[in-house]
Amino acid sequence: MKTPIGTYAVVRGVPRTFDQAITPTGPVEPIDVPLAREQHFAYCSALEAAGLRLIRIESDDRFPDCVFVEDTAVVAGEKVVVAAMAPESRSGETAAVERRLRDFMDVHRIEAPATLDGGDVLRIDDRIFVGLSERTNGQAAEQLRSILGPDGYEVTEVGVRDVLHLKSACTHVGDDLILWRPGYLEEEAFGAYRKIVVPEDEPHAANCVSVNGRVLIPAGAPETRAKLHEHGCTLIEIEISEARKAAGLLTCSSIIL
């Protein structure tokens, strides 16, 4: 059995082609690639400040979205499950992540016709919630259940509506506390958790990174920040304006191990 890594974060650089990344429908401001790199540097520094050691993967200009490394794999215990991303432009992103992690972890893969984005997978202790979205299907959830179930993980499928990923509407911020955008996920799946309701004018704040007693929160979410303070959270505020232009949120740019 391979030794688990411990407290690390996988990150990948911002490619020169990031301004060609997949963007939401409708008009979007052009992505400022140099600014995106500055913001990504600050993000990586915040992860280090939270006590994580970084596993860095070089950017690849062939894949404009490759900085969003979260979508490429799911990690649980000593296993890494390599995703099968639906967008053809992203299908080549997983290879570098698999090469980097195979020396540390047992590698498994989601196989077609299943499709899965890591942004649709939320792990809370031994529970794994899988969002059924435009990017992730039920076959992927079944494969995850087969791979991770023997290790004691309970895999629960969750319907996703009108957002890109499950973690666009819900993330875990410690103990039994989650951030929550009402109306986008099947609420009954999360009945065991206390919810901090995120205001509709701060949708990006539903996606935070919680690690080692700290919560990374995106800039521009004063109401959510105040609610997290009320719950005793230690916060690190991060600006991700350029990633948001490509539908990227805080969890998107790392895989926490």
Side-chain angles (χ1 to χ4, degrees):
M1 180 65 68
K2 299 181 181 179
T3 303
I5 291 178
T7 305
Y8 287 75
V10 179
V11 295
R12 193 167 192 179
V14 177
R16 289 181 296 177
T17 54
F18 186 46
D19 56 352
Q20 300 169 36
I22 300 171
T23 56
T25 57
V28 178
E29 292 182 47
I31 294 172
D32 183 330
V33 176
L35 179 56
R37 286 177 167 167
E38 290 179 17
Q39 293 176 351
H40 187 258
F41 179 84
Y43 175 82
C44 291
S45 297
L47 292 174
E48 291 179 309
L52 297 177
R53 295 177 62 183
L54 301 186
I55 299 172
R56 297 182 183 271
I57 300 175
E58 291 294 322
S59 63
D60 189 329
D61 292 340
R62 295 176 300 168
F63 305 116
D65 294 89
C66 68
V67 65
F68 300 137
V69 68
E70 174 187 51
D71 287 329
T72 64
V74 173
V75 170
E78 296 184 353
K79 292 179 179 177
V80 56
V81 183
V82 179
M85 292 184 286
E88 185 176 350
S89 65
R90 302 197 65 187
S91 61
E93 292 179 29
T94 59
V97 177
E98 179 176 345
R99 284 195 302 270
R100 190 70 176 89
L101 292 183
R102 66 167 48 255
D103 291 337
F104 303 99
M105 311 190 81
D106 293 320
V107 175
H108 301 259
R109 297 181 189 85
I110 297 297
E111 303 289 351
T115 61
L116 178 131
D117 271 10
D120 275 318
V121 181
L122 174 63
R123 180 164 62 89
I124 304 177
D125 300 322
D126 60 355
R127 298 194 67 186
I128 295 178
F129 298 93
V130 181
L132 303 184
S133 70
E134 292 184 2
R135 300 286 184 88
T136 299
N137 60 26
Q139 291 161 304
E142 283 298 325
Q143 290 185 29
L144 277 177
R145 187 174 288 113
S146 296
I147 295 167
L148 300 178
D151 297 329
Y153 290 99
E154 177 187 351
V155 176
T156 301
E157 298 174 29
V158 181
V160 175
R161 300 181 292 272
D162 301 325
V163 288
L164 182 61
H165 290 135
L166 182 152
K167 281 190 276 194
S168 302
C170 177
T171 47
H172 179 229
V173 289
D175 297 326
D176 64 343
L177 189 63
I178 59 175
L179 290 163
W180 182 259
R181 291 181 67 195
Y184 297 94
L185 306 176
E186 294 174 351
E187 188 165 359
E188 55 270 22
F190 296 92
Y193 300 94
R194 293 179 296 142
K195 298 177 177 66
I196 295 177
V197 175
V198 175
E200 272 301 300
D201 60 353
E202 297 179 0
H204 57 300
N207 183 276
C208 289
V209 176
S210 177
V211 60
N212 295 336
R214 303 188 186 190
V215 177
L216 277 61
I217 182 172
E223 289 188 47
T224 305
R225 185 176 65 239
K227 291 179 180 182
L228 286 166
H229 269 305
E230 289 174 4
H231 283 82
C233 297
T234 300
L235 305 180
I236 303 175
E237 190 170 66
I238 305 292
E239 179 58 76
I240 55 166
S241 63
E242 302 314 294
R244 287 176 60 191
K245 293 174 183 177
L249 299 171
L250 274 178
T251 67
C252 298
S253 294
S254 61
I255 304 171
I256 307 298
L257 308 178

